[in-house]
Amino acid sequence: MTENLIEVASVLAAAIAVGLGSIGPALGEGRAVAAAMDAIARQPEAAGTLSRTLFVGLAMIETMAIYALVIALLVLFANPFV
Amino acid sequence: MTIDWWTLGLQTVNVLILLWLLARFLFRPVAKIIAERQAAAHAALDEAEAAKVAAETARAEAEAAKQAVLSERAEKIAEVRKDAEVEKQRLMAELQAELDKARVQAKEDLARQSKAQEEALSEQAGVLAGDIAERLLARLPKEARIAGFIDGLVEAVGALPESTRTGIGLNGPVPLRAAQMPTEAEIAQLRDGLGKILGRAVEIEVTEAPELIAGLELDTATAIVRNHFRADLDRITAEVRKHD
Amino acid sequence: MDNPLSIEPLFHIGPVPITQPVVVTWAIMLALGVFSFVATRHLRIIPTKTQTVLELFVSTIEGQVRDVMNGDPKPYRALIGTIFLFILVANWSSLIPGIEPPTAHIETDAALALIVFVAILWFGIGTRGIKGYLATFAEPTWVMIPLNIVEQITRTFSLIVRLFGNVMSGVFVISIVLSLAGLFVPIPLMALDLLTGAVQAYIFAILATVFIGAAVAETPSPKPQEDISQ
């Protein structure tokens, strides 16, 4: 039962980690894309540079969500308490 | 979470080997060929620049040569023009001198001519005046042509110097020219007057000379005493000529 | 479902266990080595198509390095280019069925980050000398020394986890979707995985350049995020 409890708690922790951890990057990515759209609307000739920078920036922001995912996976598959 | 240290080590070595491989076979030769191409491009550019400079120099030389030819031509033209100018000046001067000479000569000729003409005119006028006077005098009575001049002649003889007066009438009769033959009374009057002046009686030999118009002329060896119109007219004519 | 965090050795050479990422890396090394050897064997002043692509690649890397570091890119060209090329090819090797990218395992990423870490130390000390390089940790004041040391370590870990998480999650998600619906459905996810792989390779290379540049440059090291978002 104790083992089961820990497993249940691990699954819950992983879900919460991914769910909460992706809120921030989602908001951040939304802001970044909005700002990029705004900039492209203002300066269409800079669209190439802007979108390239946007992709890199999105990847950087996404990394935060990936961190949460890594933690979740650690909890699921490399849990030291299991 | 376990880390396979063997894998980590192997991967590190692998990446390092790959790094060496790519540096050896990819990046170094490609960068070298890029640098070589750049060098070649630079060399070509330099060459082109040099060729351009050379062409520019050649063009400038050609330009200079052209300029030299042009300036030489201009110089020659100027020289020829100058010679022509000098020649022209010389000819002009000669012509001018000739013209001046001709003009001076013409002026002189003209002056001489006009002077001669004037002289001729004066002479003619004098002669004309003489003629007029002669004609006018011819209207005088014949007696007046002698009688009026006797006193004048006697006075003129009296005005002669003493030495000359004494010589009159010593060697024969005194020659007297008259406009016409004087009458006896006039001759006597002459003889009286002369005798009174000279202090002795003199003989008079009268010859007729119509060219005297009117008057008398005493013609001795030592003195000629003129008292007639011809002499007056001649004097007046000479006076008129002198004035011109 | 397989545990994506652990690997099993395929075989042993003597006492050394050889795992799947190592084998794939050998294959990649062989492919890249042979390709570059063949491609650069007959380089000409007048380039062929392949040579043009190679020159474009090299000069692009040089340009990026020059932009970030404001210096001669020659000493860093091979390192940055190799990191980028290896990560790119490794990420895209998942296209071949049955092959898992080596970068989906943390050992490969750790090896790459370790090399970058050593390179930072190497170039920093090589440019400034040991004293000069250590003095950069005291910038702007000596109070910052612990923070700078922690930053040095955490950014290396950040490099590891960023690359590992991205690639591994991509592989993980695709394997999950494959187990649910095998045909056609994973294709958009695989395309996204290709994009992520390329972007992550670029980010890893650029961050390595930024770190090395910060160690070499006169100014104190800026935060990597600031450099990227500019």
Side-chain angles (χ1 to χ4, degrees), chain C residues 191-228:
Chain C
L192 183 67
D193 208 25
L194 287 182
L195 177 66
T196 309
V199 171
Q200 289 304 322
Y202 176 70
I203 287 177
F204 197 101
I206 280 293
L207 283 180
T209 315
V210 169
F211 295 154
I212 294 173
V216 168
E218 297 298 316
T219 50
S221 56
K223 294 276 182 286
Q225 274 79 7
E226 287 172 356
D227 271 61
I228 286 302

mmCIF file of all heavy atoms in Angstrom, chain C residues 191-228:
data_model
loop_
_atom_site.group_PDB
_atom_site.id
_atom_site.type_symbol
_atom_site.label_atom_id
_atom_site.label_comp_id
_atom_site.label_asym_id
_atom_site.label_seq_id
_atom_site.Cartn_x
_atom_site.Cartn_y
_atom_site.Cartn_z
ATOM 1 N N ALA C 191 7.622 16.218 -37.991
ATOM 2 C CA ALA C 191 8.052 17.470 -38.637
ATOM 3 C C ALA C 191 8.432 18.501 -37.586
ATOM 4 O O ALA C 191 9.468 19.184 -37.678
ATOM 5 C CB ALA C 191 6.917 17.995 -39.523
ATOM 6 N N LEU C 192 7.587 18.590 -36.552
ATOM 7 C CA LEU C 192 7.890 19.504 -35.446
ATOM 8 C C LEU C 192 9.212 19.123 -34.789
ATOM 9 O O LEU C 192 10.017 19.994 -34.403
ATOM 10 C CB LEU C 192 6.754 19.469 -34.428
ATOM 11 C CG LEU C 192 6.900 20.435 -33.254
ATOM 12 C CD1 LEU C 192 6.786 21.872 -33.740
ATOM 13 C CD2 LEU C 192 5.860 20.141 -32.194
ATOM 14 N N ASP C 193 9.424 17.807 -34.692
ATOM 15 C CA ASP C 193 10.663 17.311 -34.101
ATOM 16 C C ASP C 193 11.878 17.744 -34.921
ATOM 17 O O ASP C 193 12.919 18.131 -34.364
ATOM 18 C CB ASP C 193 10.585 15.776 -34.035
ATOM 19 C CG ASP C 193 11.416 15.248 -32.883
ATOM 20 O OD1 ASP C 193 11.618 16.028 -31.917
ATOM 21 O OD2 ASP C 193 11.865 14.095 -32.956
ATOM 22 N N LEU C 194 11.731 17.706 -36.253
ATOM 23 C CA LEU C 194 12.830 18.172 -37.120
ATOM 24 C C LEU C 194 13.126 19.643 -36.861
ATOM 25 O O LEU C 194 14.293 20.046 -36.696
ATOM 26 C CB LEU C 194 12.462 17.992 -38.595
ATOM 27 C CG LEU C 194 12.469 16.575 -39.140
ATOM 28 C CD1 LEU C 194 12.129 16.601 -40.618
ATOM 29 C CD2 LEU C 194 13.861 15.980 -38.943
ATOM 30 N N LEU C 195 12.067 20.443 -36.814
ATOM 31 C CA LEU C 195 12.255 21.880 -36.552
ATOM 32 C C LEU C 195 12.919 22.097 -35.202
ATOM 33 O O LEU C 195 13.902 22.855 -35.084
ATOM 34 C CB LEU C 195 10.892 22.582 -36.599
ATOM 35 C CG LEU C 195 10.920 24.074 -36.264
ATOM 36 C CD1 LEU C 195 11.696 24.834 -37.327
ATOM 37 C CD2 LEU C 195 9.514 24.619 -36.141
ATOM 38 N N THR C 196 12.394 21.406 -34.186
ATOM 39 C CA THR C 196 12.972 21.548 -32.851
ATOM 40 C C THR C 196 14.443 21.131 -32.841
ATOM 41 O O THR C 196 15.284 21.799 -32.226
ATOM 42 C CB THR C 196 12.190 20.665 -31.854
ATOM 43 O OG1 THR C 196 10.806 20.942 -32.000
ATOM 44 C CG2 THR C 196 12.616 20.957 -30.441
ATOM 45 N N GLY C 197 14.708 20.033 -33.541
ATOM 46 C CA GLY C 197 16.094 19.568 -33.577
ATOM 47 C C GLY C 197 17.023 20.613 -34.181
ATOM 48 O O GLY C 197 18.085 20.919 -33.619
ATOM 49 N N ALA C 198 16.613 21.209 -35.303
ATOM 50 C CA ALA C 198 17.454 22.233 -35.949
ATOM 51 C C ALA C 198 17.613 23.434 -35.046
ATOM 52 O O ALA C 198 18.726 23.964 -34.861
ATOM 53 C CB ALA C 198 16.831 22.635 -37.283
ATOM 54 N N VAL C 199 16.481 23.872 -34.445
ATOM 55 C CA VAL C 199 16.550 25.064 -33.601
ATOM 56 C C VAL C 199 17.420 24.798 -32.379
ATOM 57 O O VAL C 199 18.223 25.661 -31.971
ATOM 58 C CB VAL C 199 15.126 25.493 -33.191
ATOM 59 C CG1 VAL C 199 15.189 26.584 -32.144
ATOM 60 C CG2 VAL C 199 14.357 25.969 -34.394
ATOM 61 N N GLN C 200 17.300 23.607 -31.812
ATOM 62 C CA GLN C 200 18.105 23.303 -30.635
ATOM 63 C C GLN C 200 19.589 23.222 -30.976
ATOM 64 O O GLN C 200 20.436 23.668 -30.189
ATOM 65 C CB GLN C 200 17.636 21.989 -29.992
ATOM 66 C CG GLN C 200 16.285 22.092 -29.305
ATOM 67 C CD GLN C 200 16.252 23.186 -28.255
ATOM 68 O OE1 GLN C 200 17.221 23.398 -27.544
ATOM 69 N NE2 GLN C 200 15.124 23.895 -28.170
ATOM 70 N N ALA C 201 19.894 22.674 -32.138
ATOM 71 C CA ALA C 201 21.298 22.650 -32.564
ATOM 72 C C ALA C 201 21.840 24.064 -32.684
ATOM 73 O O ALA C 201 22.949 24.376 -32.204
ATOM 74 C CB ALA C 201 21.427 21.916 -33.903
ATOM 75 N N TYR C 202 21.027 24.932 -33.300
ATOM 76 C CA TYR C 202 21.448 26.337 -33.458
ATOM 77 C C TYR C 202 21.622 26.993 -32.100
ATOM 78 O O TYR C 202 22.635 27.682 -31.849
ATOM 79 C CB TYR C 202 20.397 27.069 -34.300
ATOM 80 C CG TYR C 202 20.649 28.537 -34.452
ATOM 81 C CD1 TYR C 202 21.713 28.996 -35.218
ATOM 82 C CD2 TYR C 202 19.838 29.474 -33.831
ATOM 83 C CE1 TYR C 202 21.946 30.341 -35.364
ATOM 84 C CE2 TYR C 202 20.059 30.809 -33.965
ATOM 85 C CZ TYR C 202 21.119 31.247 -34.726
ATOM 86 O OH TYR C 202 21.349 32.576 -34.875
ATOM 87 N N ILE C 203 20.645 26.751 -31.203
ATOM 88 C CA ILE C 203 20.716 27.398 -29.888
ATOM 89 C C ILE C 203 21.942 26.919 -29.115
ATOM 90 O O ILE C 203 22.659 27.719 -28.501
ATOM 91 C CB ILE C 203 19.423 27.113 -29.097
ATOM 92 C CG1 ILE C 203 18.279 27.916 -29.684
ATOM 93 C CG2 ILE C 203 19.600 27.442 -27.634
ATOM 94 C CD1 ILE C 203 16.970 27.652 -29.020
ATOM 95 N N PHE C 204 22.178 25.604 -29.163
ATOM 96 C CA PHE C 204 23.339 25.072 -28.439
ATOM 97 C C PHE C 204 24.627 25.708 -28.954
ATOM 98 O O PHE C 204 25.468 26.172 -28.173
ATOM 99 C CB PHE C 204 23.389 23.544 -28.599
ATOM 100 C CG PHE C 204 24.272 22.860 -27.600
ATOM 101 C CD1 PHE C 204 23.717 22.228 -26.503
ATOM 102 C CD2 PHE C 204 25.657 22.832 -27.765
ATOM 103 C CE1 PHE C 204 24.525 21.600 -25.576
ATOM 104 C CE2 PHE C 204 26.459 22.216 -26.847
ATOM 105 C CZ PHE C 204 25.893 21.591 -25.741
ATOM 106 N N ALA C 205 24.753 25.775 -30.284
ATOM 107 C CA ALA C 205 25.973 26.344 -30.867
ATOM 108 C C ALA C 205 26.107 27.820 -30.518
ATOM 109 O O ALA C 205 27.194 28.298 -30.143
ATOM 110 C CB ALA C 205 25.963 26.153 -32.379
ATOM 111 N N ILE C 206 24.992 28.562 -30.629
ATOM 112 C CA ILE C 206 25.056 30.001 -30.343
ATOM 113 C C ILE C 206 25.370 30.261 -28.879
ATOM 114 O O ILE C 206 26.156 31.152 -28.535
ATOM 115 C CB ILE C 206 23.716 30.663 -30.748
ATOM 116 C CG1 ILE C 206 23.699 30.890 -32.253
ATOM 117 C CG2 ILE C 206 23.507 31.975 -30.029
ATOM 118 C CD1 ILE C 206 24.692 31.918 -32.721
ATOM 119 N N LEU C 207 24.746 29.441 -27.988
ATOM 120 C CA LEU C 207 25.029 29.642 -26.565
ATOM 121 C C LEU C 207 26.481 29.334 -26.254
ATOM 122 O O LEU C 207 27.126 30.048 -25.479
ATOM 123 C CB LEU C 207 24.111 28.758 -25.720
ATOM 124 C CG LEU C 207 22.674 29.276 -25.597
ATOM 125 C CD1 LEU C 207 21.840 28.346 -24.747
ATOM 126 C CD2 LEU C 207 22.668 30.664 -25.004
ATOM 127 N N ALA C 208 27.005 28.278 -26.878
ATOM 128 C CA ALA C 208 28.427 27.980 -26.683
ATOM 129 C C ALA C 208 29.278 29.161 -27.147
ATOM 130 O O ALA C 208 30.230 29.568 -26.450
ATOM 131 C CB ALA C 208 28.796 26.719 -27.459
ATOM 132 N N THR C 209 28.917 29.742 -28.293
ATOM 133 C CA THR C 209 29.658 30.902 -28.799
ATOM 134 C C THR C 209 29.576 32.066 -27.820
ATOM 135 O O THR C 209 30.576 32.741 -27.546
ATOM 136 C CB THR C 209 29.084 31.338 -30.160
ATOM 137 O OG1 THR C 209 28.887 30.199 -30.957
ATOM 138 C CG2 THR C 209 30.015 32.299 -30.851
ATOM 139 N N VAL C 210 28.341 32.281 -27.290
ATOM 140 C CA VAL C 210 28.167 33.405 -26.358
ATOM 141 C C VAL C 210 28.999 33.197 -25.109
ATOM 142 O O VAL C 210 29.677 34.122 -24.629
ATOM 143 C CB VAL C 210 26.668 33.555 -26.010
ATOM 144 C CG1 VAL C 210 26.489 34.518 -24.845
ATOM 145 C CG2 VAL C 210 25.902 34.044 -27.207
ATOM 146 N N PHE C 211 29.004 31.964 -24.596
ATOM 147 C CA PHE C 211 29.770 31.718 -23.371
ATOM 148 C C PHE C 211 31.258 31.907 -23.627
ATOM 149 O O PHE C 211 31.951 32.552 -22.828
ATOM 150 C CB PHE C 211 29.496 30.293 -22.864
ATOM 151 C CG PHE C 211 28.064 30.083 -22.423
ATOM 152 C CD1 PHE C 211 27.491 28.819 -22.440
ATOM 153 C CD2 PHE C 211 27.292 31.153 -22.001
ATOM 154 C CE1 PHE C 211 26.193 28.636 -22.035
ATOM 155 C CE2 PHE C 211 25.981 30.978 -21.604
ATOM 156 C CZ PHE C 211 25.423 29.701 -21.615
ATOM 157 N N ILE C 212 31.728 31.337 -24.706
ATOM 158 C CA ILE C 212 33.158 31.478 -25.010
ATOM 159 C C ILE C 212 33.492 32.948 -25.246
ATOM 160 O O ILE C 212 34.512 33.467 -24.761
ATOM 161 C CB ILE C 212 33.531 30.628 -26.243
ATOM 162 C CG1 ILE C 212 33.369 29.143 -25.920
ATOM 163 C CG2 ILE C 212 34.962 30.895 -26.650
ATOM 164 C CD1 ILE C 212 33.547 28.243 -27.105
ATOM 165 N N GLY C 213 32.599 33.620 -25.982
ATOM 166 C CA GLY C 213 32.840 35.044 -26.245
ATOM 167 C C GLY C 213 32.871 35.844 -24.965
ATOM 168 O O GLY C 213 33.690 36.767 -24.817
ATOM 169 N N ALA C 214 31.987 35.510 -24.029
ATOM 170 C CA ALA C 214 31.973 36.237 -22.756
ATOM 171 C C ALA C 214 33.251 35.984 -21.984
ATOM 172 O O ALA C 214 33.783 36.885 -21.326
ATOM 173 C CB ALA C 214 30.765 35.807 -21.932
ATOM 174 N N ALA C 215 33.769 34.767 -22.090
ATOM 175 C CA ALA C 215 35.018 34.474 -21.384
ATOM 176 C C ALA C 215 36.191 35.186 -22.045
ATOM 177 O O ALA C 215 37.146 35.564 -21.371
ATOM 178 C CB ALA C 215 35.255 32.966 -21.370
ATOM 179 N N VAL C 216 36.111 35.386 -23.360
ATOM 180 C CA VAL C 216 37.231 35.979 -24.089
ATOM 181 C C VAL C 216 37.158 37.499 -24.058
ATOM 182 O O VAL C 216 38.168 38.184 -23.951
ATOM 183 C CB VAL C 216 37.250 35.451 -25.536
ATOM 184 C CG1 VAL C 216 38.200 36.258 -26.391
ATOM 185 C CG2 VAL C 216 37.651 33.996 -25.543
ATOM 186 N N ALA C 217 35.911 38.023 -24.129
ATOM 187 C CA ALA C 217 35.759 39.467 -24.313
ATOM 188 C C ALA C 217 36.160 40.233 -23.070
ATOM 189 O O ALA C 217 36.291 39.665 -21.983
ATOM 190 C CB ALA C 217 34.311 39.782 -24.669
ATOM 191 N N GLU C 218 36.320 41.534 -23.229
ATOM 192 C CA GLU C 218 36.745 42.392 -22.133
ATOM 193 C C GLU C 218 35.609 42.645 -21.160
ATOM 194 O O GLU C 218 35.816 42.805 -19.975
ATOM 195 C CB GLU C 218 37.244 43.733 -22.687
ATOM 196 C CG GLU C 218 38.455 43.592 -23.582
ATOM 197 C CD GLU C 218 39.647 43.016 -22.830
ATOM 198 O OE1 GLU C 218 39.910 43.446 -21.705
ATOM 199 O OE2 GLU C 218 40.293 42.109 -23.392
ATOM 200 N N THR C 219 34.367 42.700 -21.711
ATOM 201 C CA THR C 219 33.227 43.044 -20.858
ATOM 202 C C THR C 219 32.839 41.842 -20.004
ATOM 203 O O THR C 219 33.090 40.699 -20.379
ATOM 204 C CB THR C 219 32.036 43.449 -21.724
ATOM 205 O OG1 THR C 219 31.850 42.439 -22.721
ATOM 206 C CG2 THR C 219 32.286 44.778 -22.382
ATOM 207 N N PRO C 220 32.218 42.060 -18.851
ATOM 208 C CA PRO C 220 31.739 40.953 -18.026
ATOM 209 C C PRO C 220 30.661 40.168 -18.758
ATOM 210 O O PRO C 220 29.931 40.708 -19.585
ATOM 211 C CB PRO C 220 31.173 41.642 -16.767
ATOM 212 C CG PRO C 220 31.165 43.089 -17.041
ATOM 213 C CD PRO C 220 32.047 43.361 -18.188
ATOM 214 N N SER C 221 30.591 38.874 -18.427
ATOM 215 C CA SER C 221 29.736 37.984 -19.195
ATOM 216 C C SER C 221 28.275 38.347 -19.031
ATOM 217 O O SER C 221 27.775 38.468 -17.920
ATOM 218 C CB SER C 221 29.950 36.552 -18.718
ATOM 219 O OG SER C 221 29.698 36.499 -17.327
ATOM 220 N N PRO C 222 27.557 38.544 -20.140
ATOM 221 C CA PRO C 222 26.134 38.833 -20.033
ATOM 222 C C PRO C 222 25.349 37.550 -19.854
ATOM 223 O O PRO C 222 25.838 36.450 -20.082
ATOM 224 C CB PRO C 222 25.826 39.488 -21.366
ATOM 225 C CG PRO C 222 26.812 38.889 -22.307
ATOM 226 C CD PRO C 222 28.032 38.552 -21.522
ATOM 227 N N LYS C 223 24.094 37.726 -19.448
ATOM 228 C CA LYS C 223 23.220 36.552 -19.321
ATOM 229 C C LYS C 223 22.877 36.038 -20.709
ATOM 230 O O LYS C 223 22.618 36.819 -21.625
ATOM 231 C CB LYS C 223 21.930 36.955 -18.607
ATOM 232 C CG LYS C 223 22.136 37.376 -17.160
ATOM 233 C CD LYS C 223 22.176 36.180 -16.244
ATOM 234 C CE LYS C 223 22.333 36.599 -14.804
ATOM 235 N NZ LYS C 223 23.698 37.058 -14.492
ATOM 236 N N PRO C 224 22.921 34.748 -20.903
ATOM 237 C CA PRO C 224 22.691 34.202 -22.241
ATOM 238 C C PRO C 224 21.314 34.547 -22.796
ATOM 239 O O PRO C 224 21.188 34.828 -23.981
ATOM 240 C CB PRO C 224 22.836 32.690 -22.037
ATOM 241 C CG PRO C 224 22.721 32.478 -20.574
ATOM 242 C CD PRO C 224 23.238 33.702 -19.930
ATOM 243 N N GLN C 225 20.302 34.545 -21.946
ATOM 244 C CA GLN C 225 18.953 34.831 -22.431
ATOM 245 C C GLN C 225 18.895 36.214 -23.076
ATOM 246 O O GLN C 225 18.240 36.416 -24.089
ATOM 247 C CB GLN C 225 17.931 34.754 -21.296
ATOM 248 C CG GLN C 225 17.393 33.358 -21.049
ATOM 249 C CD GLN C 225 18.376 32.516 -20.259
ATOM 250 O OE1 GLN C 225 19.398 33.015 -19.801
ATOM 251 N NE2 GLN C 225 18.081 31.230 -20.109
ATOM 252 N N GLU C 226 19.554 37.157 -22.453
ATOM 253 C CA GLU C 226 19.531 38.515 -23.001
ATOM 254 C C GLU C 226 20.142 38.545 -24.397
ATOM 255 O O GLU C 226 19.631 39.181 -25.297
ATOM 256 C CB GLU C 226 20.321 39.439 -22.088
ATOM 257 C CG GLU C 226 19.596 39.738 -20.787
ATOM 258 C CD GLU C 226 20.487 40.487 -19.813
ATOM 259 O OE1 GLU C 226 21.684 40.700 -20.151
ATOM 260 O OE2 GLU C 226 19.996 40.834 -18.746
ATOM 261 N N ASP C 227 21.233 37.782 -24.562
ATOM 262 C CA ASP C 227 21.887 37.795 -25.863
ATOM 263 C C ASP C 227 21.005 37.178 -26.936
ATOM 264 O O ASP C 227 20.977 37.629 -28.076
ATOM 265 C CB ASP C 227 23.210 37.023 -25.791
ATOM 266 C CG ASP C 227 24.338 37.944 -25.395
ATOM 267 O OD1 ASP C 227 24.248 38.492 -24.287
ATOM 268 O OD2 ASP C 227 25.262 38.124 -26.201
ATOM 269 N N ILE C 228 20.295 36.150 -26.565
ATOM 270 C CA ILE C 228 19.489 35.474 -27.566
ATOM 271 C C ILE C 228 18.291 36.325 -27.967
ATOM 272 O O ILE C 228 17.959 36.439 -29.135
ATOM 273 C CB ILE C 228 19.019 34.113 -27.001
ATOM 274 C CG1 ILE C 228 20.186 33.161 -26.999
ATOM 275 C CG2 ILE C 228 17.890 33.547 -27.806
ATOM 276 C CD1 ILE C 228 20.801 32.951 -28.353
#
